[in-house]
Amino acid sequence: MSNSRKRERQGDDFNVSFLDVICCGFGAIVLLLMITKSSLPGALEVSDVQQQGQLKRLQQELFEIRGETRILNRELTAKTEQLDDETLRLAILKSRRQQLQSELTELANASAADDKIRARLQLALQDLNEEMERLLGRSHSAKNSLVGGIPVDSEYIIFIIDTSGSMFNYAWPRVMDEIIATLNIYPKVKGIQVMNDMGNYMFSSYRGQWIPDSPSRRKAIIKRMRTWNPFSNSSPVEGIQGAIRQYYAQDKKISLYVFGDDFSGGSIRRVIKTVERLNASDNKGERRVRIHAVGFPVLLAEAAPAEQQSAYRFAALMRELSYQNGGTFVGLNDYR
């Protein structure tokens, strides 16, 4: 009996344990379902809040990008309009430049043609004078060899040029034109020299010498003249006296061409006496150095009345020096 009772008790224990396990399993499932059910809505709510915040941030960035885009579009439109204006202005300037270049070319061609004609005429005149002198002998007077009232019988020419501010800043293009015109009336000479009114040489390497005459030398003089601006005291006296002292010779015919606009020096009479002593007459009573002068009315147009007196003094001095030394004084009506 005891054995059968033990078996019954063991079966009851087994059934009770199995039911406990089953109940625990169902309880765990129910607990899991309750936990899952209670946690899902909160998680979803958190996720919705995050998405809404991210959406607002993206919308704000979109608004900012749209605002920057509108600003950039306005700037682009303004730059485009400015570019169109600059393009139009550039086209106008190019058209104007082409027009000016065309006019300049026409003037250059006309000037070149005039220079060639003038040079041929001067060469023909010089040949004619030489032939007349051969036929008529030395009695043929050189005073008849005139171009525009200026004797052109000299073998050497010296330019004395006022390089003061009034001349360089206002009359320089006209000065260059007059130098070219003067050179053109002498198709061929034995020597040339260029000094300023202070006696400074344009080419220091030719100090005390003559610059050999040639087309290339003449071009070099004109090219250097464009920017040549040594110091000047607005008085031609030093240049005139220095040139005569250096180059006067009994066996040479020399012409001085003085270009200036004022005389700020001292006594006119003293200058005339000094030049008369330096430029002594030859055995025929003629002075070997002719003095010509061209007056530029710069001060009369640009200076105050009180400063214009020196322009009248220059004209008086050069008119008398030209008369006393076999030359010609030319007063221009316009310095431009």
Side-chain angles (χ1 to χ4, degrees), residues 28-41:
I29 293 173
V30 172
L31 181 60
L32 289 173
L33 290 173
M34 291 179 66
I35 292 173
T36 304
K37 185 176 181 180
S38 62
S39 63
L40 283 176

Side-chain angles (χ1 to χ4, degrees), residues 93-108:
L93 291 176
K94 285 183 178 179
S95 176
R96 178 58 177 163
R97 185 184 66 177
Q98 291 176 353
Q99 180 181 358
L100 292 176
Q101 286 179 341
S102 178
E103 293 176 359
L104 181 61
T105 301
E106 293 178 0
L107 290 175

Side-chain angles (χ1 to χ4, degrees), residues 112-144:
D114 291 341
D115 291 343
K116 290 180 180 179
I117 294 173
R118 188 183 295 108
R120 287 199 298 268
L121 290 176
Q122 300 310 321
L123 184 60
L125 177 62
Q126 185 169 332
D127 292 341
L128 179 60
N129 289 333
E130 292 175 355
E131 182 65 15
M132 291 179 65
E133 185 172 343
R134 186 183 67 82
L135 294 174
L136 299 176
R138 291 291 181 179
S139 60
H140 172 63
S141 176
K143 294 183 179 180
N144 293 327

Side-chain angles (χ1 to χ4, degrees), residues 141-157:
S141 176
K143 294 183 179 180
N144 293 327
S145 302
L146 304 176
V147 174
I150 299 177
V152 293
D153 59 330
S154 298
E155 303 166 317
Y156 301 84
I157 55 177

Side-chain angles (χ1 to χ4, degrees), residues 212-269:
D213 185 19
S214 68
S216 61
R217 296 290 184 182
R218 295 189 177 203
K219 290 180 180 179
I221 290 173
I222 300 304
K223 181 179 179 180
R224 180 72 180 90
M225 188 68 191
R226 292 189 178 95
T227 57
W228 188 54
N229 187 27
F231 173 76
S232 165
N233 65 350
S234 298
S235 172
V237 175
E238 293 87 346
I240 294 173
Q241 294 180 357
I244 297 175
R245 285 191 180 98
Q246 181 66 52
Y247 295 101
Y248 178 91
Q250 287 287 344
D251 60 340
K252 291 181 174 63
K253 293 182 179 181
I254 302 172
S255 282
L256 261 62
Y257 284 86
V258 183
F259 294 171
D261 65 338
D262 68 322
F263 170 51
S264 58
S267 170
I268 292 178
R269 183 179 300 276

Side-chain angles (χ1 to χ4, degrees), residues 29-87:
I29 293 173
V30 172
L31 181 60
L32 289 173
L33 290 173
M34 291 179 66
I35 292 173
T36 304
K37 185 176 181 180
S38 62
S39 63
L40 283 176
L44 291 175
E45 290 176 0
V46 173
S47 178
D48 291 340
V49 171
Q50 292 177 349
Q51 290 180 356
Q52 289 177 0
Q54 186 176 5
L55 179 60
K56 289 182 179 180
R57 186 171 63 254
L58 293 175
Q59 288 177 343
Q60 183 65 28
E61 292 179 358
L62 178 60
F63 293 151
E64 292 177 357
I65 292 173
R66 287 177 177 174
E68 293 177 357
T69 302
R70 284 194 295 270
I71 294 174
L72 292 175
N73 285 334
R74 286 197 297 269
E75 292 179 354
L76 179 60
T77 302
K79 293 293 184 182
T80 302
E81 293 176 354
Q82 183 180 0
L83 179 61
D84 293 338
D85 293 340
E86 294 295 335
T87 302

